[in-house]
Amino acid sequence: MSRLSHSETHMVHRIGWLRAAVLGANDGLVSTASLVVGVAAAGSGRPEILIAGLAGLVAGAMSMAAGEYVSVSSQTDAEQADLARETKELLETPEAELDELTGIYVARGLDEPLARQVAVQLTQKDALGAHARDELGISETVTAHPIQAALVSAVTFAVGAVVPLIVALMAPTSQISLTVALTTLVALSVLGGLGASAGGAGILKGALRVTFWGALAMAATAGVGMIFGVSAG
């Protein structure tokens, strides 16, 4: 009797681009909608609201791209430095490194003879890969790439930011704040649910946490807009 093939689909390989995509779209929605709501609450007209929102879209997309690039590049630099140090140690003190790898497997539950055998075999096949994965926690599966993260963040931020701008363009001037806020909350709940689903997490939990923080941000900026609008008047 032949064995049935066992196929599994894991979510962890998506973490590099998924984090940047969800963060970008969420920030685009929240920051631009909050800006629009705040400016509208201050009593500004539609042209001023749209100009402020568009400026926020451009500035936010560029800021997200730069931030993600710098952040992921710093992470990559740190990983490369660790790998270089590990390569040197493998060349200079191979026995000590083998003992270290054995100790890691013993700590994970293997008895010492088996842990030693596993360490020896993995070292013979790919010593640096074994230490990178099991000692340093570095894996190609979950490693993000700077340019990829920057582009994904910028594009998804812009896509998210377009939603409140379109609503502000179409809604009656007197109802821009309310309409943008409600539309953004719906969009945030959908985005949170989709992000959670793509990552294999609970959809309701993902939707609620994103919606809560978005509502809080818009409420805060609306309050600021109302205060300064009254003061200016």
Side-chain angles (χ1 to χ4, degrees):
M1 183 177 180
S2 61
R3 292 182 179 181
L4 295 176
S5 60
H6 180 60
S7 176
E8 294 182 347
T9 300
H10 297 286
M11 304 298 176
V12 69
H13 68 280
R14 303 176 180 176
I15 195 170
W17 63 265
L18 179 61
R19 181 187 66 86
V22 172
L23 182 62
N26 179 75
D27 275 8
L29 267 170
V30 173
S31 62
T32 307
S34 298
L35 184 60
V36 167
V37 169
V39 174
S44 301
R46 191 191 305 274
E48 291 80 7
I49 294 171
L50 292 176
I51 291 172
L54 184 59
L57 183 157
V58 175
M62 296 303 296
S63 176
M64 284 292 296
E68 280 294 321
Y69 184 83
V70 171
S71 174
V72 177
S73 293
S74 298
Q75 175 186 332
T76 302
D77 291 343
E79 291 176 353
Q80 292 302 318
D82 282 340
L83 290 174
R85 182 166 55 251
E86 198 65 33
T87 299
K88 181 180 179 182
E89 291 173 353
L90 285 169
L91 291 174
E92 295 178 351
T93 57
E95 284 301 320
E97 291 300 303
L98 186 60
D99 291 339
E100 186 176 28
L101 201 58
T102 301
I104 291 172
Y105 298 141
V106 169
R108 292 182 180 179
L110 298 181
D111 57 61
E112 190 166 350
L114 180 56
R116 187 71 174 187
Q117 182 181 359
V118 171
V120 169
Q121 291 187 5
L122 290 179
T123 298
Q124 290 174 347
K125 182 178 181 180
D126 182 8
L128 182 59
H131 282 272
R133 180 181 60 252
D134 297 322
E135 180 186 349
L136 303 176
I138 298 174
S139 172
E140 180 65 26
T141 302
V142 295
T143 299
H145 302 285
I147 294 178
Q148 178 193 55
L151 290 176
V152 169
S153 294
V155 171
T156 53
F157 183 98
V159 170
V162 163
V163 175
L165 286 179
I166 292 176
V167 175
L169 180 64
M170 298 178 65
T173 304
S174 61
Q175 298 179 9
I176 286 179
S177 290
L178 179 61
T179 307
V180 167
L182 292 177
T183 305
T184 299
L185 290 178
V186 172
L188 283 173
S189 65
V190 173
L191 175 64
L194 289 175
S197 176
I203 295 177
L204 181 60
K205 181 180 180 181
L208 287 177
R209 64 190 177 193
V210 172
T211 304
F212 170 78
W213 288 107
L216 191 63
M218 286 186 289
T221 54
V224 170
M226 292 174 66
I227 291 172
F228 282 93
V230 170
S231 299

